[in-house]
Amino acid sequence: MATISMASSLLNTASSSITFSKSTSNRRRIPPFQTPVSSSPSRKSLIIRATETDANEAVKAKAPEKAPAASGSGFNQLLGIKGAKQETNIWKIRLQLTKPVTWPPLIWGVVCGAAASGNFQWTVEDVAKSIVCMLMSGPFLTGYTQTINDWYDREIDAINEPYRPIPSGAISENEVITQIWVLLLGGLGLAGLLDVWAGHDFPTIFYLAVGGSLLSYIYSAPPLKLKQNGWIGNFALGASYISLPWWAGQALFGTLTPDIVVLTLLYSIAGLGIAIVNDFKSVEGDRKMGLQSLPVAFGEETAKWICVGAIDITQLSVAGYLLGAGKPYYAAALLGLIAPQVFFQFKYFLKDPVKYDVKYQASAQPFLILGLLVTALATSH
């Protein structure tokens, strides 16, 4: 949910009535960002003023090198990750915008929240509730977060990844805006359903969904655009991916307590570190657009250590908390899961955070999310 994240995460868009188009022939495409354009006469802040400068020539020269090959992976395209095949099928493009690869942390967060509640039972009803909560957090609200983020990032993507669906013109403005609204309203609708299903007097899950959606919006959209600040933006993203789905899962099956709120917000500092990983591939565009991501603000070398420090020190602190709370076995299990993360940080991330970002995240993050479950189980006993 976000935003996460999650989100993550996460609607200053037109609210006119629009429908999904099943035809590509009458679709009004957003032209590629090669000349000065504006999405509408009223969106002056979205104009790109191209000039004949050496910098722009350099960007144009680099773009073909970044573009995926014609034989790009169709699987990567469906997941919304690098190396994607250029696609013309509108439904595959819609799925790509939601970045399914970002859903699992949110889905896992719901699992952790349900486990932390201590009330989840392996019954048909409880399993069905958890699946609906996962759909809300992952495909709907994370999909909303990722789509709106791509919408407001289209100018940066025109520099960093000009082949992406929106800056390349593979999907129209109206289609993107429709998708944002459908995913948002669908997610909020599921949140309200879950509150009714759980018998809540106060619609806790609905308000968590509203808060996460608002966080996602101000993360991506001006004038606040939290992502312009590396610290605030990345922490917001981390909270969207770790805290919000956990809170939703725990509220669904039990009671959300202040100690859990504090513990998960602390864990969100690790989420901040994970978010920094994704900033390295966008340094060029962030610098040109004036965004103060941590690699831009501190330099890539320093930002690498800030990243791994946030991830490792946070988890060590949580292990210390569990030990102090009389949970030595859970603390030891968490320490055991931190060790391989440190190994992969040195093997991949610290060597080259751009070249090895996918390998690092695929290798290290499973241990981090297992640590989340260990912590959830510890708090439930």
Side-chain angles (χ1 to χ4, degrees), residues 163-198:
Y163 47 83
R164 290 190 59 77
I166 296 177
S168 69
I171 186 169
S172 74
E173 173 181 343
N174 281 349
E175 286 166 336
V176 176
I177 293 172
T178 300
Q179 176 159 320
I180 290 170
W181 279 104
V182 168
L183 293 173
L184 173 62
L185 296 177
L188 295 179
L190 289 178
L193 172 65
L194 287 169
D195 278 316
V196 173
W197 200 348

Side-chain angles (χ1 to χ4, degrees), residues 23 25 35 37 43 70 99 122 157 183 231 259 316 323 373:
S23 168
S25 61
T35 57
V37 295
R43 295 181 183 273
K99 295 187 180 68
W122 286 101
D157 287 342
L183 293 173
W231 293 108
D259 59 323
L316 289 170
L323 183 62
L373 182 59

